[in-house]
């Protein structure tokens, strides 16, 4: 972290909500990738707060086309640049979890299969926050969103979080990693590694959203750390399918993490137990991916 | 019929205030409609909401352009937004401010009610959410609705959305603000400017070309031009930095979502032009060298 350049390629003055986790990730990523970068955004918060015509916060070129085709457009940009003899330019797609896990997954899967030479970063805030907090495939069990309201019979989302990084590992791509803004050294190392490799690189970075999760704006980074500690988010990376766990979770009770957030306020002990059970299972599953 | 325009910030609850006012009017036997201005609002960015109240059924569905009352939930918005747009001489303003009515300049000298709703909200609710308190000030300044109806409207709308207990607390905040409101006349010396739009011709912006940063009538445009957008006015709390406790670990520099903490080698420097007062730096500082205080 000491060696990161001071120059900002993602400037101040963007209109993100106070305490947003996404710009923390984007600032760091842009510092790692440097000015020799072209970005692609599908519809997401980052596009709305960071790049609204005619003003924007990025000092590098970027493109916005549609929600579902981030991986397609990024592939096209890279191939175009290669034809122009600029193959050394980093092409980065920044998509939200909705644009990755639900709407963009067919384009993502296609680009991964073709092993396009791009970096795909999914910043995971566990719902469609830009359009006003709707549930996505990445929303955890029990969370309130506007489309999983708290009723008398059903309270919050019934289903569990979709594990997109494992889907990506199954595509046999050169690099897949999960990171969190709460663990900067780990995140920066993974971003650097992604920059230096060739082929399709997928990163999923956990970035809490104070507006959608209903917590105090100061606790963004604290919650990102807690999610890793309680096992709801595991930090691992897979190079050519070989999985390494970067941080073993302390398996602190999920309850501590849950009670800080308004989106889980309604949760009964039963629901918390089932989320805890899911966290335990997730760790078993993730640790089983490591082949000795 | 009377029409009200609310100027707030995303997250302050301008829309809920507009709804509670319509509900209060309904309690008194009138018809009321409330609706927001639709756009890409973020928490902290300037937003609009409207209420229209009449004795008869309301058939007008348009946005409000010439309001009778304008309610400003944050006095720093006066610097950013043309709050006087479409106001007539007989209009009345209700402002959340620590200043006196005579010290405010809305660009038109009109009757103005002022209350420090942020302090009231922090005292009664424990959070700087001023939508309920400002309605108490609205009742006192305009006399269009009774404070009892306002309390009823808040219990109805807030109670339904955030729970009865918090609804009751918000009704209390409205009553407290009602007692503290000062009414006077504001000044009207400022010239309100309408922000220009950047509309380039095809020669200035050829198809398929990327723009360079350019200074135009509408301000800076192009890559990195958000640097022109001073977001510092969004904050309620600000970080205070103690240089002696700092060990230059740069965690605050890394975690600042705005990138407005600079590393000057011997100390960290905070840029209050952009700081939104989220408090992540204070929460994450391992040496507790940063403290959040009311701005």
């Amino acid at each position: 972290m000491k060696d990161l350049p001071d120059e900002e390629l993602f400037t101040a003055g963007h209109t993100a909500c106070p305490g947003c986790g996404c710009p923390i990730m984007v600032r760091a990523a842009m510092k790692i990738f440097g000015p020799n970068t072209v970005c692609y955004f599908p519809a997401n918060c980052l596009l709305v707060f960071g790049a609204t015509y005619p003003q924007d916060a990025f000092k590098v070129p970027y493109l916005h086309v549609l929600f579902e085709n981030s991986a397609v457009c990024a592939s096209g940009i890279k191939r175009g640049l290669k034809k122009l003899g600029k193959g050394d330019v980093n092409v980065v797609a920044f998509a939200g979890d909705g644009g990755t896990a639900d709407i963009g997954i067919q384009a993502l899967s296609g680009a991964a299969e073709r092993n396009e030479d791009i970096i795909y970063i999914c910043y995971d805030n566990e719902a469609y926050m830009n359009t006003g907090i709707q549930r996505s495939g990445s929303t955890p069990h029990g969370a309130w969103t506007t489309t999983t309201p708290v009723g008398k019979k059903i309270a919050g989302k019934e289903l569990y979080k979709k594990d997109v990084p494992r889907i990506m590992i199954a595509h046999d791509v050169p690099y897949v990693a999960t990171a969190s803004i709460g663990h900067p050294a780990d995140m920066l190392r993974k971003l650097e590694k992604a920059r230096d490799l060739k082929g399709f690189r997928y990163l999923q970075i956990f970035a809490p959203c104070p507006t959608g999760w209903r917590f105090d704006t100061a606790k963004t980074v604290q919650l990102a750390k807690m999610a890793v500690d309680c096992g709801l988010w595991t930090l691992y990376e897979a190079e050519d399918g070989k999985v390494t766990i970067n941080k073993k979770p302390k398996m602190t009770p999920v309850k501590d993490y849950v009670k800080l957030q308004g989106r889980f306020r309604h949760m009964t002990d039963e629901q918390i137990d089932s989320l805890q059970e899911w966290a335990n299972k997730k760790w078993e599953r993730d640790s089983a991916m490591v082949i000795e | 019929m009377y029409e009200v325009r609310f100027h707030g910030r995303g997250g302050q609850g301008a829309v809920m205030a507009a709804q509670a006012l319509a509900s209060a009017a309904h309690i008194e036997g009138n018809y009321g409609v409330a609706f927001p201005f639709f756009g890409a609002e973020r928490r902290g960015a300037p937003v609009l909401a409207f209420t229209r109240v009449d004795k008869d059924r309301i058939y007008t569905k348009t946005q409000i352009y010439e309001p009778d009352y304008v309610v400003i939930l944050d006095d720093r918005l006066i610097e950013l937004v043309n709050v006087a747009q479409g106001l007539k001489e007989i209009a009345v303003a209700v402002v959340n401010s620590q200043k006196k009515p005579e010290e405010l300049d809305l660009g038109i000298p009109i009757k103005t009610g002022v209350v420090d709703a942020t302090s009231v909200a922090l005292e009664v609710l424990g959070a700087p959410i001023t939508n309920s308190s400002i309605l108490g000030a609205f009742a006192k300044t305009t006399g269009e609705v009774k404070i009892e109806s306002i309390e009823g409207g808040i219990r109805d709308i807030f109670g339904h959305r955030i729970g009865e207990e918090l609804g009751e607390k918000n009704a209390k905040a409205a009553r407290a603000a009602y007692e503290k409101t000062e009414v006077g006349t504001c000044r009207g010396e400022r010239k309100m400017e309408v922000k220009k739009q950047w509309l380039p011709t095809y020669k200035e912006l050829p198809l398929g070309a990327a723009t360079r940063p350019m200074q135009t009538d509408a301000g800076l445009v192009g890559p990195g031009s958000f640097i022109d957008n001073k977001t510092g006015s969004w904050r309620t709390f600000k970080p205070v930095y103690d240089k002696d406790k700092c060990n230059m670990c740069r965690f605050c520099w890394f975690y600042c979502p705005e990138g407005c903490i600079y590393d000057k080698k011997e100390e960290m420097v905070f840029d209050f032009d952009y700081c939104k007062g989220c408090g992540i730096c204070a929460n994450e500082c391992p040496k507790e060298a940063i403290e959040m205080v009311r701005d």
Side-chain angles (χ1 to χ4, degrees):
Chain A
M1 190 154 67
K2 296 265 182 207
D3 308 328
L4 277 186
D6 279 331
E7 200 209 343
E8 302 282 349
L9 291 170
F10 183 77
T11 64
H14 60 75
T15 55
C17 309
C20 181
C22 177
I24 302 177
M25 179 277 285
V26 177
R27 273 183 65 224
M30 291 317 292
K31 280 176 200 284
I32 297 281
F33 296 140
N36 198 17
T37 305
V38 176
C39 298
Y40 177 82
F41 316 122
N44 60 23
C45 271
L46 177 59
L47 177 84
V48 176
F49 73 67
T52 41
Y53 175 85
Q55 289 197 309
D56 67 74
F58 281 88
K59 287 187 181 168
V60 298
Y62 65 87
L63 186 74
H64 162 59
V65 183
L66 287 173
F67 211 150
E68 62 275 27
N69 51 13
S70 353
V72 175
C73 289
S75 315
I77 297 169
K78 183 73 190 192
R79 287 185 178 203
L81 286 167
K82 263 187 187 158
K83 272 272 180 290
L84 292 170
K86 293 174 185 166
D88 60 330
V89 177
N90 299 316
V91 177
V92 188
F94 285 105
D97 57 288
T100 305
D102 307 341
I103 298 178
I105 197 152
Q106 49 87 6
L108 176 67
S109 178
E113 188 217 338
R114 296 190 303 272
N115 197 14
E116 298 283 354
D117 189 15
I118 57 168
I119 305 169
Y120 190 104
I121 296 181
C122 163
Y123 70 90
D124 187 0
N125 53 21
E126 303 196 322
Y128 290 87
M129 297 307 178
N130 183 33
T131 45
I133 321 164
Q134 286 86 18
R135 63 84 92 182
S136 79
S138 198
T139 308
H141 173 69
W144 162 91
T145 66
T146 49
T147 45
T148 53
V150 177
K152 281 185 186 126
K153 283 188 180 162
I154 300 169
K157 191 183 171 186
E158 281 191 291
L159 304 169
Y160 295 85
K161 187 179 168 111
K162 188 193 272 191
D163 201 343
V164 184
R166 284 211 313 152
I167 301 175
M168 295 318 293
I169 291 174
H171 282 78
D172 280 341
V173 290
Y175 192 64
V176 176
T178 61
S180 160
I181 57 162
H183 293 79
D186 179 69
M187 179 172 87
L188 294 172
R189 189 180 57 75
K190 284 171 178 167
L191 286 165
E192 266 178 2
K193 208 169 209 175
R195 179 194 62 191
D196 297 337
L197 283 167
K198 288 267 173 265
F200 192 85
R201 292 144 280 171
Y202 177 86
L203 279 105
Q204 188 156 339
I205 300 178
F206 192 79
C209 168
T211 309
W213 297 13
R214 306 259 182 262
F215 62 84
D216 177 19
T217 55
K219 297 208 163 74
T220 307
V221 175
Q222 190 186 332
L223 277 171
K225 285 178 186 164
M226 286 173 88
V228 173
D229 285 345
C230 70
L232 285 173
W233 186 246
T234 328
L235 300 179
Y236 61 83
E237 59 188 329
E239 280 175 273
D240 292 320
K242 191 175 178 295
V243 179
T244 323
I245 303 276
N246 303 112
K247 194 172 167 61
K248 195 169 175 275
K250 291 176 195 155
M251 297 314 275
T252 53
V254 165
K255 200 170 186 176
D256 299 347
Y257 170 72
V258 162
K259 73 180 177 201
L260 281 177
Q261 299 171 50
R263 63 173 176 163
F264 292 125
R265 194 171 51 200
H266 58 273
M267 274 175 96
T268 56
D269 286 343
E270 263 171 49
Q271 275 179 306
I272 294 175
D273 284 346
S274 72
L275 190 63
Q276 178 71 58
E277 209 174 292
W278 183 82
N280 297 345
K281 255 190 210 157
K282 178 177 165 59
W283 170 238
E284 270 172 36
R285 229 173 38 204
D286 288 345
S287 52
M289 285 196 295
V290 183
I291 305 158
E292 294 297 328
Chain B
M1 178 160 80
Y2 65 88
E3 296 175 318
V4 189
R5 182 172 68 209
F6 290 82
H7 287 276
R9 288 178 180 282
Q12 281 180 335
V15 178
M16 264 167 93
Q19 288 168 344
L21 179 58
S23 176
H26 179 68
I27 289 169
E28 294 187 353
N30 293 319
Y31 288 89
V33 286
F35 49 97
F37 174 81
F38 289 99
E41 278 95 20
R42 302 282 116 193
R43 182 176 278 203
V47 296
L48 290 175
F50 309 94
T51 304
R52 188 178 275 129
V53 176
D54 202 353
K55 285 200 163 49
D56 299 315
R57 206 172 255 280
I58 299 165
Y59 291 103
T60 321
K61 301 289 182 207
T62 64
Q63 199 170 303
I64 291 162
Y65 297 96
E66 292 187 337
D68 303 296
Y69 303 110
V70 57
V71 179
I72 302 161
L73 275 82
D74 180 349
D75 62 345
R76 283 169 302 183
L77 284 169
I78 300 168
E79 311 289 331
L80 290 175
V81 189
N82 185 1
V83 290
Q85 197 167 22
L87 287 189
K88 287 163 273 185
E89 300 275 301
I90 49 160
V92 177
V94 182
V95 189
N96 165 26
S97 177
Q98 291 179 318
K99 293 179 185 156
K100 291 210 173 317
E102 293 72 32
E103 291 171 305
L104 288 168
D105 191 341
L106 298 181
I108 179 168
I110 49 173
K111 185 178 167 189
T112 306
V114 170
V115 69
D116 184 4
T118 314
S119 297
V120 172
L122 281 172
E123 209 173 286
V124 182
L125 306 172
I129 296 176
T130 52
N131 52 358
S132 47
S133 350
I134 202 82
L135 287 178
F138 179 84
K140 176 80 169 259
T141 315
T142 66
E144 288 279 6
V145 280
K146 291 197 200 77
I147 180 68
E148 288 78 20
S149 321
I150 290 282
E151 284 174 330
I154 289 175
R155 271 185 214 116
D156 174 28
I157 299 291
F158 287 60
H160 182 66
R161 284 277 295 275
I162 53 176
E164 268 171 34
E165 196 186 322
L166 280 170
E168 194 55 50
K169 262 192 177 176
N170 275 289
K172 239 179 230 163
R175 173 68 79 166
Y178 179 81
E179 308 293 343
K180 284 186 183 166
T181 306
E182 272 183 64
V183 183
T185 307
C186 72
R187 287 182 293 130
E189 289 140 24
R190 177 205 301 270
K191 234 180 147 239
M192 288 294 186
E193 279 176 24
V194 182
K195 203 185 170 197
K196 284 183 187 145
Q197 270 192 315
W198 184 56
L199 296 166
T201 61
Y202 72 95
K203 278 179 188 162
E204 284 173 282
L205 190 67
L207 266 179
T211 47
R212 284 191 307 276
M214 282 188 281
Q215 195 65 46
T216 67
D217 295 348
L220 195 66
V221 297
S225 55
F226 258 145
I227 202 84
D228 223 17
N229 184 22
K230 303 275 197 284
T231 49
S233 65
W234 293 23
R235 78 181 165 259
T236 316
F237 296 94
K238 72 169 183 185
V240 173
Y241 168 68
D242 184 351
K243 192 185 156 188
D244 300 331
K245 285 185 190 166
C246 179
N247 65 347
M248 299 301 290
C249 67
R250 302 230 285 184
F251 271 117
C252 55
W253 172 85
F254 181 84
Y255 285 137
C256 179
E258 316 311 318
C260 66
I261 303 175
Y262 308 133
D263 182 359
K264 297 280 183 203
K265 299 303 162 213
E266 275 126 36
E267 59 173 341
M268 305 305 289
V269 175
F270 292 70
D271 190 341
F272 290 112
D273 279 352
Y274 303 104
C275 174
K276 291 175 189 158
C278 63
I280 292 180
C281 50
N283 199 41
E284 294 308 318
C285 182
K287 294 280 168 193
E288 293 177 0
I290 304 168
E291 198 188 347
M292 298 304 287
V293 296
R294 175 86 190 273
D295 192 12

